[in-house]
Amino acid sequence: MAVIGWIFYRKIIPVAFISALGLFYPKIRKRQLIETRRNILRLQFKDMLYYIGAALSAGKSVEQAFVYAHGILRNLYPGKKAYIVNETELIIKRLQMNENIENILKDFAARSGVEEIQHFSDVFSVCKRTGGNLVEVIRTTSGMIGERIEIKQEIEIGLAAKKQEQRILSLSSVMMVLFISLMSGEFMEPMFATSSGRIIMTFSLILLGVGIFVSNRIMNIRF
């Protein structure tokens, strides 16, 4: 942000003010990391459901199914523990302490913030209370999550090129100002030395920021 401020103003006060806007970046980055981790957990949760369903189909209890799924997932995601491996390990430990499986899954759903896990927790609770077919519920839920993930991946693949174009266009606007300033300093000097020039540069910078914000919102498809 300080570099952008220098390119557009060449004055220490505007540069200091614009660089302070960079303090908002950790919050933006935090949201991006949370969304990335939720997407990873969503994929891993689909695998967990598959192995739990397989264990229940073989006649295992719910507790035994989680133990079975944990063992498979630990081999499926070796090395540094994956999110779902940590979660299944926590579920098993809480089951060993005689906690209610419904409360454990509700806590898992609340902490993860993943909509599919919340839906599964709700359906699981109803199924346990009413004596429904748990194997069929897990199979159906796994299929629905798989379809949602496939659709989202197709959308992301289709938008990948557009997102890259958006980044290039955003960067090219700043680079164009820098290039003209370096190649034709006298031509750009009024923009940095006069009040009207600074107003024009401020307006241009605002338009650039609005354009980046709007384009990011358009391409940030969540469902």
Side-chain angles (χ1 to χ4, degrees):
M1 295 302 298
V3 171
I4 292 175
W6 179 83
I7 292 174
F8 277 79
Y9 292 101
R10 306 290 176 85
K11 299 290 184 180
I12 187 64
I13 295 178
V15 169
F17 176 76
I18 293 177
S19 63
L21 297 177
L23 297 174
F24 292 99
Y25 179 73
K27 293 183 179 180
I28 298 173
R29 183 58 179 163
K30 182 180 179 180
R31 288 197 297 266
Q32 293 174 345
L33 288 174
I34 289 173
E35 188 62 28
T36 299
R37 292 179 180 182
R38 282 176 178 168
N39 290 334
I40 294 173
L41 182 59
R42 186 178 288 110
L43 286 168
Q44 295 175 351
F45 179 71
K46 178 176 177 291
D47 294 334
M48 186 195 79
L49 286 183
Y50 174 80
Y51 294 116
I52 289 177
L56 291 174
S57 299
K60 297 180 182 292
S61 66
V62 174
E63 292 78 8
Q64 292 172 337
F66 275 101
V67 173
Y68 172 79
H70 175 69
I72 299 294
L73 292 171
R74 190 169 52 190
N75 295 326
L76 188 62
Y77 301 104
K80 185 179 180 180
K81 286 188 176 181
Y83 305 129
I84 198 65
V85 175
N86 292 332
E87 291 297 336
T88 52
E89 183 177 351
L90 180 61
I91 290 171
I92 293 170
K93 288 180 179 179
R94 295 178 66 175
L95 286 172
Q96 292 172 347
M97 297 173 65
N98 295 324
E99 290 191 45
N100 190 297
I101 182 62
E102 298 177 32
N103 294 333
I104 296 174
L105 291 178
K106 286 181 180 178
D107 178 64
F108 176 28
R111 287 185 294 102
S112 67
V114 177
E115 186 179 3
E116 289 83 359
I117 299 178
Q118 182 64 59
H119 290 167
F120 173 73
S121 173
D122 295 339
V123 173
F124 186 91
S125 297
V126 173
C127 197
K128 286 282 287 185
R129 288 195 297 266
T130 60
N133 189 340
L134 192 58
V135 176
E136 186 61 30
V137 167
I138 291 177
R139 185 181 297 113
T140 303
T141 305
S142 179
M144 292 175 62
I145 293 175
E147 290 177 2
R148 287 170 62 94
I149 291 172
E150 289 176 3
I151 293 172
K152 188 170 184 177
Q153 287 177 335
E154 290 177 2
I155 293 174
E156 289 178 348
I157 291 173
L159 289 176
K162 297 299 179 182
K163 288 182 179 180
Q164 188 65 24
E165 291 175 9
Q166 183 260 340
R167 296 189 188 99
I168 293 174
L169 287 173
S170 300
L171 182 62
S172 64
S173 301
V174 178
M175 297 305 297
M176 187 178 299
V177 175
L178 178 62
F179 178 78
I180 296 175
S181 300
L182 295 176
M183 296 296 102
S184 305
E186 296 180 358
F187 177 77
M188 289 291 292
E189 186 62 27
M191 293 294 180
F192 306 124
T194 64
S195 299
S196 58
R198 285 192 287 268
I199 291 174
I200 292 173
M201 296 299 278
T202 300
F203 184 67
S204 301
L205 193 57
I206 291 173
L207 287 179
L208 178 61
V210 171
I212 293 173
F213 175 78
V214 172
S215 60
N216 284 333
R217 290 296 297 270
I218 290 174
M219 291 186 288
N220 184 24
I221 299 176
R222 299 179 63 183
F223 62 94

